[in-house]
Amino acid sequence: MLDSVDPFIGTAATDLPAAQGLAASWWWPKAQVGNTHPGACHPLGMVSACACSGAYPTGYGRYGISTEGAPEPIYDDYLASGFTHFQQSGTGAIRKYYNYFRVTPMIEPLDALGTRWRLCDEVAEPGYYAATLENGIRCELTVGEKTAVHRYTFPEASSARVVIDFSYGGLAIEHGTTVPLRAGLESLGQGCAQGTVVMEGMPLSVYIDADAPKAWRQLVWYDRRRVDGGTRLDFDYIRRTTLRPFGLMFMGPVRAGQTVEIRMGFSMRGTDQARRNLEQALPGDAGFAHARAATKNAWSSYFSQVEVQGGTPERRTVFATSLYHSLIKPCFAEDESPFWPSKGPFVFDIATMWDMYKTQFPLLTALNPAKGADMLESLVRIAEEEGNLPIGYRMARGSDRFFRQASALAHTVLADGFQLGLEGLEWDWALVHMQDDLRRGYGEEFAERGVVHPVSHTLDLAAGYWCTAIVARGLGDHRLADELEAKSRAWVNAFGPDGLLRDSSFYEGGRWNYSFRLLHDMASRIELAGGDAEFTAILDRFFGFGAEPVAQLGVAPFGPEFAMGLDLNRFEGLNNEPDMEAPWAYHYAGRPDRTAEIVHAALAYQFGTGRGGLPGNDDSGALSSWYVWASLGLFPVAGQNLFLVNAPAFAAAGLRFGGNDFELVTTGHVESGIGADAAGSKPRYVQSARFNGRSLDHGFITGNQLHGGGRLEIELGPEPSDWATKTRPPSASDRPGHGPGGRIRFQELPP
């Protein structure tokens, strides 16, 4: 399946066939572009490398900033001024774009540095990227976990060069550049050099080993001028007004077809560790071929854990690419924290945690429990060292600049890890930080009043209390667990008498988008809305059952269609991630058939092949992880050790989750296409299910069952059945003393 990956999916404006049926009634308000890049990546590695045009938000591509509708191009073609390292993946406006240590092969004078050459003959696969610049240089990139290797094949030239710009960073958009505060570099001779730049408080070091022709020289340069005889540059303090480009250069004559390799090791703990990282990954004379093969093997080890049977070639390509995008972020950098001296896990680029926690973290933990445990340990260490559990964590000083987006999200990941029995964490210490973190930000007001605005934070914090109670009870502190659970019931204060959230401000959405998250007490949530029938009716209206097709946004500026779209209060599809979990809310109301219809429509019409194959920002892989789970007929309920079961998109799947084999098989499966090929296809519905030979009458399994391995058999048919309509997924109020009979009531509170 690795050969089916297409890293170009999501790199251009959304270009999908017109939706039909239910999917045609969904309205997409956010940027219609995946914002991914096709560069070389190692699974969950620290380093990526890609062609850089300076476009938004990865440095690759043609577009400027876009937040709604189709993105507007800033370039007519795919261009590159060189090849940079450390890219975001699928994010939006996080205002941190990396693209450090730009490497530019040239046959032009140094004055031409910064020219954007047209890219031709692009090739991308997991761990490898290649393109030919219009000046005739063939450029190939590959990476390791902490390394990158460039290989350039030149046309004949009397004076060719490979220029490494230490000062470059960010994007070619307003407020998009990143300027180093301090920097130093040194040419060590014999093809070796090293240096460190401090970008946004992060000291990033590189060690360079160049395999260049013997006749080539190496030297430093400043302000596009060679520093003849100079071997080092040092800058104690740089301002935007004083910055001039600077870096290192290898130069000399080449014959046609001659290659130059640049091997680079990176570290956040100095040049000595950067050199060790390079030597460990590429011992002796090992170079490009060795690095490429090692990274391909790393990708293969993950892809060997997820095998699907059946599916059209297009569906398999989208699925494989979704799995690939799911494993690019977050970045794991063992022993690399620059902010504390001890060894151990260090994880960054948890850039869109408010999306990642729902789908991506459960997938990562299923595929690699050890990595999942490392991530949790890193989160706790961040809290210990920097004062809080992060909502977002990037390669920059300052653990959290995302307080508006959400609250207490790390608690869900920690609760799941605790229930799965992930090893290596000091859970007593983790519990201390979980408790403390509940009082930060909006948490103080929540603790006092039981409700905060933005009102979605009320749901976040209530869930955080519930997740913390799980850990406390598991550690034997029942008094604390009871106190925390009592606070967790304040989710009810977020809702009004119409069964929806109260009027409030919301982050990239409205009260309809946020009203259908999967709470820890869905039984009481449904009772609050008036019961199964009333809750289902609200959901049906949200998802557009029986509604007319809608017109999507084009390129800004927009006409009245934007305001008209907002007034629909409609499901925004997978274009807007707050809606990701909403289809599964039907499970709790005894209508898994509705879940099947919505998920089938999304899989058929909201994802496709080609550069425009994503409906919106991939958000560090959260959207792609949704596609993986949905295709497998499963969905994780974050913090609750629960996976909801639905009709899968493939006939069968062999999974290795939690280190054990999990087999998914179906009878009655009917293949359906995607996009234009999906016209006329109908969803399949679960008729019955068996798990490990026993009848599964409810529409869920636990995380421990999924990780423990087994066999899930699903019988599918063309019409809805009564499967999973009687026994619902568990809710907090199912426990003794927590029943909905009298404890959960709508309260009139001041807004």
Side-chain angles (χ1 to χ4, degrees):
M1 192 169 62
L2 186 64
D3 293 338
S4 297
V5 173
D6 179 5
F8 289 106
I9 290 178
T11 60
T14 299
D15 183 18
L16 299 169
Q20 298 186 22
L22 181 63
S25 70
W26 304 338
W27 183 71
W28 307 0
K30 289 182 62 179
Q32 295 171 22
V33 59
N35 281 348
T36 59
H37 70 82
C41 299
H42 186 284
L44 305 173
M46 184 173 105
V47 180
S48 57
C50 190
C52 183
S53 67
Y56 177 88
T58 66
Y60 174 84
R62 303 174 51 225
Y63 304 105
I65 291 177
S66 62
T67 55
E68 294 96 14
E72 187 170 357
I74 57 175
Y75 306 122
D76 293 333
D77 207 340
Y78 289 91
L79 310 173
S81 64
F83 301 88
T84 54
H85 309 87
F86 306 98
Q87 283 81 23
Q88 288 295 343
S89 180
T91 57
I94 63 166
R95 302 200 180 282
K96 175 63 180 176
Y97 306 113
Y98 306 156
N99 293 293
Y100 300 145
F101 297 110
R102 181 177 61 181
V103 181
T104 305
M106 304 172 64
I107 54 177
E108 297 81 4
L110 185 58
D111 279 340
L113 184 65
T115 299
R116 294 184 179 91
W117 292 275
R118 184 170 289 103
L119 294 169
C120 307
D121 302 321
E122 286 185 281
V123 175
E125 61 187 49
Y128 175 80
Y129 172 84
T132 300
L133 300 180
E134 61 182 307
N135 59 13
I137 303 172
R138 184 63 176 172
C139 311
E140 299 174 274
L141 311 176
T142 192
V143 295
E145 290 183 277
K146 301 180 181 181
T147 59
V149 186
H150 300 236
R151 182 165 67 190
Y152 301 114
T153 304
F154 285 87
E156 184 173 355
S158 60
S159 181
R161 67 201 76 220
V162 177
V163 182
I164 304 175
D165 188 342
F166 280 62
S167 65
Y168 186 85
L171 303 180
I173 60 174
E174 187 176 7
H175 307 302
T177 57
T178 303
V179 175
L181 177 64
R182 290 178 293 277
L185 65 94
E186 182 180 10
S187 174
L188 303 174
Q190 298 180 335
C192 297
Q194 62 186 18
T196 299
V197 294
V198 178
M199 297 283 197
E200 291 206 58
M202 174 70 70
L204 189 58
S205 298
V206 63
Y207 184 86
I208 301 164
D209 182 7
D211 183 6
K214 292 183 179 180
W216 276 37
R217 302 166 57 200
Q218 67 183 72
L219 47 100
V220 297
W221 58 271
Y222 176 75
D223 199 13
R224 293 184 174 84
R225 294 293 180 267
R226 297 184 302 183
V227 182
D228 290 324
T231 60
R232 63 180 300 138
L233 294 172
D234 291 287
F235 303 90
D236 293 331
Y237 185 61
I238 301 172
R239 294 181 177 179
R240 290 182 182 273
T241 54
T242 62
L243 175 68
R244 301 292 183 272
F246 59 88
L248 179 79
M249 179 168 61
F250 302 91
M251 63 177 294
V254 288
R255 62 182 183 275
Q258 195 162 10
T259 63
V260 175
E261 282 193 11
I262 306 293
R263 310 190 316 164
M264 309 174 76
F266 297 94
S267 177
M268 301 172 196
R269 287 188 171 179
T271 54
D272 287 344
Q273 185 151 317
R275 175 179 52 80
R276 289 192 296 270
N277 289 343
L278 181 61
E279 292 173 347
Q280 182 177 0
L282 297 171
D285 296 330
F288 191 93
H290 177 94
R292 181 180 178 184
T295 296
K296 185 174 183 179
N297 287 338
W299 280 111
S300 295
S301 69
Y302 278 99
F303 272 76
S304 67
Q305 296 179 235
V306 182
E307 296 288 343
V308 294
Q309 297 179 21
T312 63
E314 293 78 13
R315 188 180 288 276
R316 293 178 66 87
T317 292
V318 176
F319 180 82
T321 306
S322 296
L323 181 59
Y324 166 75
H325 281 147
S326 300
L327 294 168
I328 291 175
K329 303 290 183 181
C331 297
F332 284 72
E334 185 80 10
D335 303 335
E336 288 289 349
S337 169
F339 306 131
W340 53 83
S342 59
K343 293 185 176 181
F346 179 64
V347 179
F348 63 92
D349 274 4
I350 306 175
T352 59
M353 193 173 186
W354 46 96
D355 303 319
M356 299 166 79
Y357 86 97
K358 298 179 184 179
T359 56
Q360 191 170 7
F361 291 168
L363 183 60
L364 162 62
T365 302
L367 290 169
N368 195 329
K371 285 284 191 186
D374 284 348
M375 183 176 67
L376 299 188
E377 184 177 345
S378 180
L379 293 175
V380 173
R381 191 60 187 269
I382 291 168
E384 181 180 30
E385 296 280 352
E386 303 191 32
N388 55 267
L389 289 165
I391 300 300
Y393 197 78
R394 308 169 306 181
M395 191 171 67
R397 183 176 293 278
S399 68
D400 199 351
R401 303 174 190 177
F402 304 105
F403 66 94
R404 290 188 306 111
Q405 281 88 330
S407 298
L409 298 183
H411 297 65
T412 64
V413 193
L414 288 161
D416 276 333
F418 180 79
Q419 293 171 95
L420 289 169
L422 295 186
E423 299 177 352
L425 275 80
E426 296 183 45
W427 284 108
D428 288 320
W429 190 224
L431 177 59
V432 170
H433 287 295
M434 293 173 76
Q435 283 181 264
D436 288 346
D437 198 71
L438 290 170
R439 300 298 289 250
R440 63 178 287 266
Y442 298 103
E444 198 68 40
E445 184 180 0
F446 176 87
E448 294 176 1
R449 297 183 63 238
V451 65
V452 295
H453 291 270
V455 77
S456 59
H457 289 256
T458 301
L459 303 185
D460 291 339
L461 287 160
Y465 274 93
W466 173 256
C467 291
T468 307
I470 290 172
V471 178
R473 196 170 300 282
L475 294 175
D477 194 337
H478 298 286
R479 179 194 60 78
L480 175 61
D482 289 342
E483 293 175 359
L484 293 166
E485 285 183 10
K487 289 284 189 183
S488 78
R489 296 175 202 139
W491 63 265
V492 69
N493 299 332
F495 288 89
D498 60 355
L500 298 172
L501 290 175
R502 298 173 180 272
D503 288 330
S504 184
S505 60
F506 294 91
Y507 180 76
E508 295 186 358
R511 70 187 190 113
W512 282 81
N513 301 107
Y514 283 89
S515 283
F516 304 113
R517 69 180 293 173
L518 303 182
L519 304 177
H520 51 285
D521 193 358
M522 286 299 292
S524 295
R525 159 75 179 101
I526 292 172
E527 182 191 11
L528 197 69
D532 289 345
E534 291 79 1
F535 185 67
T536 298
I538 297 174
L539 280 174
D540 285 352
R541 184 223 180 280
F542 176 61
F543 283 104
F545 281 95
E548 294 296 319
V550 300
Q552 303 298 343
L553 297 175
V555 178
F558 308 116
E561 66 270 19
F562 190 83
M564 292 170 62
L566 288 177
D567 288 342
L568 290 172
N569 294 317
R570 187 68 50 76
F571 179 54
E572 294 170 355
L574 279 303
N575 171 260
N576 198 8
E577 290 77 9
D579 293 354
M580 284 197 298
E581 61 197 311
W584 277 268
Y586 280 109
H587 265 57
Y588 292 87
R591 292 298 305 272
D593 57 311
R594 285 296 205 221
T595 302
E597 291 164 4
I598 296 161
V599 172
H600 169 86
L603 293 176
Y605 291 110
Q606 294 215 301
F607 298 84
T609 56
R611 289 180 181 263
L614 286 178
N617 297 174
D618 195 42
D619 279 315
S620 299
L623 176 59
S624 288
S625 299
W626 184 96
Y627 189 92
V628 172
W629 287 121
S631 297
L632 296 174
L634 298 166
F635 190 79
V637 185
Q640 299 184 43
N641 191 34
L642 194 67
F643 285 80
L644 304 180
V645 177
N646 187 37
F650 292 97
L655 312 171
R656 189 161 184 82
F657 283 167
N660 297 299
D661 292 327
F662 189 93
E663 187 179 9
L664 173 66
V665 296
T666 69
T667 56
H669 175 82
V670 175
E671 296 288 3
S672 62
I674 61 175
D677 294 332
S681 65
K682 296 181 179 180
R684 304 295 284 178
Y685 302 93
V686 178
Q687 307 296 303
S688 64
R690 297 175 65 83
F691 181 66
N692 288 342
R694 295 185 176 182
S695 179
L696 184 71
D697 296 324
H698 48 264
F700 63 90
I701 59 175
T702 68
N704 298 92
Q705 288 174 318
L706 182 70
H707 282 232
R711 180 182 173 90
L712 177 61
E713 303 169 72
I714 298 176
E715 180 188 356
L716 299 170
E719 301 294 335
S721 71
D722 64 353
W723 175 80
T725 60
K726 299 179 178 63
T727 304
R728 313 294 170 78
S731 288
S733 55
D734 296 337
R735 297 177 54 179
H738 295 264
R743 288 185 178 261
I744 300 297
R745 286 287 182 267
F746 165 71
Q747 302 177 34
E748 285 292 351
L749 293 172

